[in-house]
Amino acid sequence: PTPIQTRAIPALLSGRDLLGIAQTGTGKTAAFGIPLLQKLSIGHVPPQAKQAKALILAPTRELAVQIEESLRTYGRHLNLKMTVILGGVNQNNQIRAMSRGVDILVATPGRLLDLVQQKHVNLSAVNSFIVDEADRMLDMGFIRDVRKLVAMLPRERQSMLFSATMPDDIVKLTHDMLRQPERIEVAPQSKTADRIEQKLYFVPMPQKRQLLSELLKDVSMNRVIVFTRTKHGANRVAEHLSRTGVVAEAIHGNKSQNARQRALDMFRTGKARVLVATDIAARGIDIDHISHVVNFELPNEPESYVHRIGRTARAGGEGIAISFCDASERGYLRDIERIIRMKIEPVAHDLPELTEEQRRQMEEPRRPHGHNRGGRGKPHGKPGGHSKHGGPGGHVGGHREGAEAYNPHAPKKRNGSRPHWHRGKDKRREGVA
């Protein structure tokens, strides 16, 4: 067992509430999942219609799917019903699954609240409640939804909250949610995995794609996640790689849930060598044997760097993290080095001199990057809004995630993307895509 499992499992089996301060990748799912499965399987009574005995909240759809798959694996010989509720897909299958009741419900907060309000889900029988990646919920503007859901739960229950950091809103949530919890703290947030080799290239923005293509000539880069700051950036990098013969898939918040899952499956099964992602994939995505993480653009929150590079060197393995830094990102680099408490050694590249066209691109006026500090917990748009598309968030049957929340004043999208005159605005606010 990992350190968090060693300490959490006995506390949970004894019925204690739990506050876990732990990064993704420390074994949290098994730490709460195994005691939960044991508790539910002893003297098992089938669930009632529309009810769940255990509720697990996760901030992203991918993480919710992953938790449910893990619990299915751990409990495959137990006769327990499980389902996952999330936005981005039609709600009918989720309503059908809940109509018979489930033992374990894994959900993203927005869609769950939507189905509760439609009276398709009843939370009055929940006796185990778990919030995973609570600080990410705060970033994505879900804390209000979580509080509403907590208010609907029975007072007599066992609760667990896991978070990598403890901002004030999370501290308040722990007071609302937990009773005399056991506090377990492992792997402080500034600690990057010891087994990750970190490299840095100083490279002008117009040459970043060129450098990425050069690096990918190395066959040891066999399963690579490339992180960009914006959704448009992810699409452009994925298209560039596909043109150069590298099988690459993009994943970000503008893609439908089915497209996101398909991209992940292609990457997980090795059909795609590269996954280009925004920070939506920086936490909770657990795919084995990722050889390299490339920060095509440095994140504007230094904590995201720690989460991004933590996609590699998982479960005792080793990995390499490569970062590209242009002149406008030096401030981000300083913040990252401060939080990881080490200097990342730069590596020289042998790219040719900039062409005239590349110099011209560099001379084009660019807005300075702003640091995404102090804006935590202030979602863009209007998560509670409704639209003709059938539910809150202007999304079929549910909320959109974080910065993608429904905005009634936004111009209509064309061909699946924002109009060109708004893209500059998108880039400034898409720290979390």
Side-chain angles (χ1 to χ4, degrees):
T2 65
I4 195 165
Q5 290 162 2
T6 302
R7 295 173 61 190
I9 290 174
L12 294 175
L13 287 174
S14 71
R16 294 282 305 272
D17 281 10
L18 184 88
L19 171 59
I21 315 296
Q23 300 287 25
T24 182
T26 51
K28 283 181 301 184
T29 306
F32 65 71
I34 291 170
L36 175 63
L37 291 167
Q38 177 159 319
K39 179 180 170 183
L40 290 170
S41 64
I42 294 170
H44 179 250
V45 178
Q48 299 291 306
K50 299 187 181 180
Q51 292 186 345
K53 295 181 184 177
L55 171 61
I56 302 169
L57 294 182
T60 67
R61 302 164 191 169
E62 285 72 23
L63 183 54
V65 168
Q66 189 170 286
I67 290 170
E68 197 248 5
E69 285 173 353
S70 296
L71 294 178
R72 251 179 221 288
T73 303
Y74 306 153
R76 80 167 64 124
H77 300 298
L78 303 174
N79 189 24
L80 297 176
K81 287 186 189 169
M82 306 176 200
T83 197
V84 63
I85 282 179
L86 40 78
V89 291
N90 189 291
Q91 67 179 30
N92 292 339
N93 287 339
Q94 298 169 8
I95 293 168
R96 204 171 300 120
M98 285 306 302
S99 68
R100 299 183 288 275
V102 294
D103 293 289
I104 301 174
L105 171 58
V106 188
T108 52
R111 171 60 66 88
L112 176 60
L113 192 58
D114 197 11
L115 292 190
V116 169
Q117 287 165 347
Q118 292 180 48
K119 300 207 170 9
H120 294 304
V121 178
N122 178 343
L123 300 178
S124 64
V126 170
N127 55 34
S128 296
F129 177 51
I130 299 154
V131 177
D132 197 11
E133 303 275 13
D135 55 341
R136 188 88 169 95
M137 300 261 195
L138 177 65
D139 277 347
M140 297 174 71
F142 279 138
I143 286 293
R144 209 170 289 150
D145 287 352
V146 174
R147 286 219 180 91
K148 284 180 189 169
L149 291 165
V150 169
M152 298 173 188
L153 300 174
R155 290 186 68 78
E156 289 301 312
R157 63 173 193 267
Q158 184 181 23
S159 301
M160 291 146 255
L161 185 141
F162 293 92
S163 185
T165 55
M166 286 297 288
D168 291 343
D169 283 44
I170 302 298
V171 173
K172 188 172 184 317
L173 188 63
T174 64
H175 294 321
D176 295 347
M177 210 181 109
L178 306 176
R179 290 175 307 181
Q180 299 175 311
E182 175 115 353
R183 183 182 170 119
I184 295 174
E185 195 156 353
V186 299
Q189 74 171 43
S190 58
K191 185 169 170 49
T192 49
D194 298 328
R195 295 177 307 279
I196 301 174
E197 182 186 343
Q198 298 174 63
K199 298 180 180 178
L200 172 69
Y201 288 94
F202 288 114
V203 56
M205 180 54 85
Q207 286 191 313
K208 284 189 177 185
R209 287 187 223 169
Q210 195 178 348
L211 178 58
L212 181 59
S213 293
E214 285 298 313
L215 293 176
L216 285 169
K217 288 177 182 173
D218 180 354
V219 291
S220 72
M221 295 183 73
N222 54 15
R223 185 170 288 184
V224 185
I225 295 190
V226 176
F227 282 105
T228 62
R229 255 194 315 271
T230 68
K231 302 165 192 174
H232 304 302
N235 285 339
R236 283 196 294 268
V237 172
E239 286 162 9
H240 163 75
L241 291 176
S242 297
R243 281 198 302 273
T244 60
V246 176
V247 183
E249 291 285 331
I251 178 171
H252 54 68
N254 274 358
K255 297 229 172 212
S256 73
Q257 184 55 28
N258 288 338
R260 278 156 65 165
Q261 210 55 51
R262 192 162 54 247
L264 270 181
D265 290 343
M266 290 270 292
F267 186 59
R268 188 177 276 117
T269 55
K271 291 175 184 165
R273 180 182 172 197
V274 177
L275 183 70
V276 189
T278 55
D279 279 326
I280 203 165
R283 291 207 207 180
I285 300 303
D286 187 6
I287 293 173
D288 292 337
H289 312 305
I290 290 172
S291 62
H292 293 70
V293 168
V294 177
N295 291 298
F296 188 85
E297 295 165 312
L298 292 180
N300 54 354
E301 283 191 335
E303 294 89 350
S304 291
Y305 175 84
V306 180
H307 291 295
R308 285 180 178 190
I309 73 169
R311 297 308 96 212
T312 185
R314 293 176 79 79
E318 294 183 347
I320 295 172
I322 299 168
S323 296
F324 297 172
C325 180
D326 78 352
S328 71
E329 296 172 300
R330 295 290 179 106
Y332 294 165
L333 178 62
R334 282 193 295 274
D335 288 347
I336 288 164
E337 291 179 331
R338 196 174 300 125
I339 198 172
I340 65 173
R341 299 185 190 137
M342 66 175 277
K343 191 162 176 56
I344 309 170
E345 286 306 312
V347 181
H349 59 74
D350 52 5
L351 291 179
E353 289 290 309
L354 287 166
T355 64
E356 283 304 313
E357 173 64 26
Q358 288 170 334
R359 284 183 202 285
R360 220 172 13 255
Q361 283 177 31
M362 284 187 69
E363 285 162 11
E364 283 175 11
R366 294 177 66 191
R367 290 180 181 274
H369 296 305
H371 286 261
N372 195 3
R373 291 285 189 199
R376 287 175 168 279
K378 292 177 184 167
H380 297 288
K382 190 174 175 185
H386 284 258
S387 84
K388 65 182 180 182
H389 295 302
H395 196 71
V396 180
H399 287 241
R400 303 268 316 244
E401 289 172 290
E404 309 163 67
Y406 170 61
N407 177 358
H409 307 296
K412 285 192 169 59
K413 295 188 178 189
R414 294 184 303 184
N415 302 326
S417 69
R418 302 263 283 150
H420 66 86
W421 57 87
H422 273 273
R423 283 181 193 159
K425 200 183 299 179
D426 285 350
K427 283 175 188 166
R428 293 199 300 281
R429 73 185 195 186
E430 278 187 314
V432 176

